[in-house]
Amino acid sequence: MSIVLPEHEGEEAKTKELPWAMPKILIDGGSSIEILFYETFKQMGLKDECLIPSTYNIFGFNDTSTRPRGEITLEIRVGRILTLTTFCVVDVLSPYTTIFGRSWVHGIKGVASTYHQRLRFPTPDGVAEIIGDSGEAKY
């Protein structure tokens, strides 16, 4: 995977493509939104000025309501598939760097199997597969 990051330098907004080499990405078919954790957001070199204010709360973290720091839309590239993905940036502790929810999986026409730790999706070259780390998935 790779990600195209916005840069807010000068008058023109530039972009740069970086490899997505972060461990512990969760693909969660039960999540209705895509989440980027604030610690990861900062590690990516993004600044708070990139965030669009959000007006809602998220329920599900630590059985409480969480107010996002904001939203950011990034281009996510998986092989030859490119998607514009809006992430909700939250400042909570997590063992994951980001969570991709069902809207992203549906957007790439993917099929996820938690049992097999795989995500399969069609590409112009055939079916591609992302294989999870089953060792990391165990508690």
Side-chain angles (χ1 to χ4, degrees):
M1 285 187 187
S2 64
I3 188 167
V4 179
L5 301 177
E7 289 186 18
H8 295 279
E9 297 176 1
E11 301 261 330
E12 285 184 38
K14 301 175 187 174
T15 62
K16 64 178 178 178
E17 188 169 325
L18 298 176
W20 184 273
M22 289 182 234
K24 299 187 180 181
I25 296 170
L26 176 65
I27 296 176
D28 181 7
S31 179
S32 59
I33 60 173
E34 281 62 51
I35 297 170
L36 181 64
F37 293 98
Y38 189 64
E39 183 176 327
T40 305
F41 174 84
K42 293 308 246 179
Q43 288 174 354
M44 294 167 74
L46 296 170
K47 304 213 182 306
D48 288 352
E49 296 82 41
C50 297
L51 293 173
I52 298 166
S54 58
T55 58
Y56 55 87
N57 289 335
I58 298 173
F59 296 92
F61 289 106
N62 305 323
D63 293 326
T64 62
S65 170
T66 301
R67 171 71 81 179
R69 290 187 74 102
E71 296 179 350
I72 188 165
T73 300
L74 302 170
E75 290 182 357
I76 305 295
R77 183 183 315 276
V78 182
R80 291 178 46 192
I81 305 295
L82 182 68
T83 60
L84 276 178
T85 304
T86 299
F87 289 91
C88 176
V89 178
V90 294
D91 193 4
V92 297
L93 293 176
S94 173
Y96 303 104
T97 55
T98 187
I99 297 175
F100 285 102
R102 65 179 167 266
S103 62
W104 183 82
V105 173
H106 290 177
I108 64 168
K109 299 178 182 161
V111 177
S113 171
T114 55
Y115 182 79
H116 296 99
Q117 293 290 302
R118 302 222 183 327
L119 172 67
R120 294 180 136 200
F121 54 96
T123 71
D125 302 320
V127 176
E129 181 175 64
I130 297 172
I131 301 171
D133 184 349
S134 60
E136 288 287 332
K138 295 179 183 173
Y139 297 118

